[in-house]
Amino acid sequence: MELICPAGTPAAFHEAVDAGADAVYCGFRDETNARNFPGLNFSREELKEAIAYAKKKGCETFVALNTFMRAGAEEIWYQGAADAVACGADALILADFGLMAHVAEKYPDQRLHVSVQASASNPDAINFLVDTFNAKRVVLPRTLTIADIARIGKSIRCEMEVFVFGGLCVMAEGRCSLSSYATGKSPNMNGVCSPASHVRYRKDGRDLVSELGAFTINRFPEGEAAGYPTLCKGRFDIADSNGYAFEDPVSLDVMGELEALKAAGVSALKIEGRQRGKAYVAEVVKVMKAAVNSPPDRRGALLSRLRSMSEGQKTTSGAYEKRWR
Amino acid sequence: MQLIPPLLTRPLNAVPLVVIERVCRLMFRRIGLAHPGLFERLGEHKAKRFAFLPTDVPLAFIVEPASDTIFVWRKTTDVIADAVTEAPLFMLLALMEGRCDADALFFSRDLSVTGDMEAMLAMRNALDASSIDLSKDLARLAGPFAPMAGRVIGEIRNRALDRALAGETASWN
């Protein structure tokens, strides 16, 4: 199975390639991708250089254009697609059907992957995208169990890529409006979930308090591991209890199920984290590459090294092993 | 968290601030010369003031990218800045070199950020995208002794960072 690795900067891109990534995914410095964070991402020139570096080392580059186009401003996304194709991207990762149609028509030879943001989670939806836009691969939403993935794999006509490590969403990719509710901006339309411009941290005695927009979303007592300042990871008062209503601040780690994923027909394993630093990318890709190439009984020891880099310093297998129905 | 014993940092209180600031500016200028595009990723945030407060040193470092200047204050004075990052000195230096992941240090509560988060995130990404190597960049200040200075700086940095991160791993797991 291929290892698909994140890069938010050219420096992180080089680290990922050097650590053994089979493909690196990245995006432009604008709202066309779902990690549109300040200071992050690639200029056209940087992407061109990165792709050339990757090609020399036998590594592929996927360019994420995975936000939804704003009506009247489609040219921003069309130009992104044109530039990514011109730079030599091996695949474009797309979520918007309109953009998929544009790319399929204008660049019929360009490989097209369906982004997790498209929320294509059943055979009918996936095969529609394969038949209509010639999609070659689908990145499956993190709502499915491994048994679900195996069932889908038997009925679709394209490759499957799944997230195996990194930040975990509330699992409604492309449809989540929590960030919009609190800040007016979302990963779907603006490429930012809980944008930094709306985040504040303050100290209250020994506690760390995180605020998003007008909402206080969490309070971490001294010594407790912290998480990202997103509403889905907020701690709420509900009736007589106080706790995480949507999900705990934890990261995804499903590397313990590699054999099952392989048997289910998965062809690519994706690491989340374009917003993370190059030290994270270097370490995670190196360990994951070693884990993929190791026998199952040795993977646990390798992967335990990554727990300290995870949100909340804890990991979960998420929906892949759904036990909470 | 204190990685440097107070005994080692206490003498800094006796050194005139102007001397410390002059040395810091010399090093800051050297890094700027070696990495001319360092602050390009800051965009609109270039005009802001960024404060770095080492938790184990009685000084505050304020960077003004727009004027390519660094100021040094004593912590006894209230720092005026748009965004403030606090962490042990060697972790701040490791972040500057991209040897540590800022999110991981935030999760473990070794690093805290207050003020303008967007500006500090842009600064974090700008530093991470650069290829600053303090042992190489600062060693050049030593002229003909640069190779030896580079080795010494690198050795001190690696040992301090190993010690800091070893402590982290032990407490995290």
Side-chain angles (χ1 to χ4, degrees):
Chain A
M1 288 185 283
E2 293 172 34
L3 197 57
I4 316 299
C5 305
T9 61
F13 190 103
H14 282 232
E15 294 286 358
V17 172
D18 294 346
D22 295 303
V24 182
Y25 67 103
C26 55
F28 289 124
R29 281 194 219 178
D30 56 31
E31 62 192 292
T32 59
N33 78 92
R35 287 285 184 267
N36 178 25
F37 295 172
L40 205 68
N41 292 319
F42 291 65
S43 67
R44 268 55 176 174
E45 194 54 39
E46 286 170 341
L47 181 69
K48 202 173 166 186
E49 286 170 11
I51 290 175
Y53 182 78
K55 280 193 194 304
K56 247 190 275 173
K57 303 249 178 173
C59 176
E60 295 193 314
T61 305
F62 302 162
V63 177
L65 295 156
N66 58 346
T67 46
F68 294 90
M69 299 192 290
R70 264 186 299 119
E74 296 89 346
E75 193 50 42
I76 299 171
W77 281 262
Y78 293 164
Q79 191 59 53
D83 292 342
V85 172
C87 286
D90 293 287
L92 304 189
I93 308 172
L94 310 178
D96 186 306
F97 291 2
L99 188 57
M100 288 187 203
H102 173 82
V103 169
E105 190 182 314
K106 193 118 188 189
Y107 314 103
D109 296 330
Q110 178 64 51
R111 190 174 164 91
L112 189 159
H113 290 183
V114 177
S115 167
V116 69
Q117 285 286 98
S119 238
S121 51
N122 61 62
D124 287 344
I126 296 166
N127 282 333
F128 169 77
L129 298 174
V130 171
D131 295 340
T132 313
F133 306 124
N134 196 24
K136 298 293 185 195
R137 178 180 293 184
V138 61
V139 185
L140 291 174
R142 288 162 278 190
T143 53
L144 305 166
T145 64
I146 295 177
D148 290 335
I149 294 170
R151 273 192 294 275
I152 288 173
K154 286 180 187 148
S155 313
I156 63 172
R157 296 182 284 280
C158 71
E159 299 166 357
M160 293 188 293
E161 180 175 308
V162 297
F163 280 95
V164 289
F165 191 88
L168 189 57
C169 242
V170 75
M171 298 179 292
E173 284 107 334
R175 297 172 184 175
C176 178
S177 294
L178 287 175
S179 178
S180 296
Y181 177 72
T183 71
K185 290 188 171 180
S186 75
N188 315 323
M189 299 300 293
N190 312 96
V192 278
C193 175
S194 309
S197 54
H198 291 66
V199 173
R200 286 287 178 278
Y201 290 105
R202 62 181 170 84
K203 288 173 187 165
D204 186 5
R206 290 175 170 257
D207 292 355
L208 173 71
V209 177
S210 57
E211 298 171 342
L212 180 67
F215 301 92
T216 297
I217 56 171
N218 217 331
R219 173 185 289 271
F220 301 98
E222 192 178 28
E224 182 180 313
Y228 283 123
T230 58
L231 262 188
C232 58
K233 308 277 173 74
R235 202 149 22 186
F236 299 90
D237 288 323
I238 302 164
D240 296 329
S241 63
N242 172 273
Y244 292 103
F246 294 98
E247 59 179 335
D248 288 13
V250 295
S251 280
L252 177 70
D253 176 6
V254 72
M255 289 296 282
E257 301 296 333
L258 273 193
E259 306 308 316
L261 289 170
K262 196 172 185 179
V266 169
S267 52
L269 308 170
K270 187 165 203 162
I271 302 170
E272 185 276 346
R274 281 196 284 138
Q275 76 284 10
R276 303 291 296 260
K278 63 187 174 193
Y280 173 90
V281 170
E283 180 68 7
V284 172
V285 176
K286 188 176 74 180
V287 170
M288 298 284 279
K289 187 75 181 177
V292 168
N293 294 327
S294 296
D297 59 328
R298 290 195 56 204
R299 282 182 199 138
L302 281 168
L303 293 162
S304 66
R305 288 162 55 185
L306 301 181
R307 199 167 301 133
S308 63
M309 303 188 108
S310 300
E311 183 177 12
Q313 303 191 321
K314 287 185 284 190
T315 54
T316 175
S317 52
Y320 291 104
E321 284 186 287
K322 207 178 281 176
R323 281 174 266 175
W324 62 81
R325 279 187 226 260
Chain B
M1 188 184 195
Q2 291 222 322
L3 294 176
I4 306 175
L7 199 66
L8 291 180
T9 57
R10 208 166 292 145
L12 285 171
N13 292 322
V15 181
L17 206 53
V18 67
V19 175
I20 300 172
E21 193 169 71
R22 181 165 288 186
V23 172
C24 288
R25 284 187 176 175
L26 194 65
M27 294 194 286
F28 187 72
R29 200 168 300 130
R30 173 55 58 188
I31 292 168
L33 284 173
H35 306 278
L38 179 59
F39 296 127
E40 183 265 333
R41 283 178 177 267
L42 289 180
E44 62 186 283
H45 303 292
K46 199 173 173 183
K48 292 177 180 167
R49 284 166 65 90
F50 300 83
F52 299 90
L53 274 57
T55 50
D56 45 8
V57 174
L59 301 169
F61 302 92
I62 293 100
V63 173
E64 273 188 11
S67 59
D68 270 330
T69 312
I70 187 168
F71 301 91
V72 184
W73 292 17
R74 298 216 188 269
K75 276 193 189 161
T76 46
T77 313
D78 282 341
V79 170
I80 300 166
D82 295 287
V84 180
T85 296
E86 290 184 74
L89 179 67
F90 279 104
M91 285 189 179
L92 288 175
L93 294 176
L95 284 172
M96 191 195 285
E97 293 186 298
R99 289 175 191 273
C100 278
D101 178 66
D103 289 18
L105 294 182
F106 170 75
F107 297 148
S108 66
R109 307 285 298 275
D110 288 314
L111 176 144
S112 68
V113 183
T114 49
D116 187 333
M117 289 296 297
E118 195 172 42
M120 196 49 97
L121 190 58
M123 173 61 87
R124 189 283 297 262
N125 289 329
L127 291 172
D128 203 73
S130 75
S131 52
I132 292 174
D133 184 331
L134 293 175
S135 67
K136 279 186 193 160
D137 296 340
L138 299 182
R140 294 191 184 109
L141 290 169
F145 303 105
M148 193 172 71
R151 277 196 299 276
V152 171
I153 297 170
E155 186 63 25
I156 293 171
R157 176 196 62 199
N158 294 344
R159 282 191 185 192
L161 201 55
D162 284 350
R163 193 170 144 243
L165 296 180
E168 286 306 297
T169 307
S171 63
W172 283 341
N173 296 307

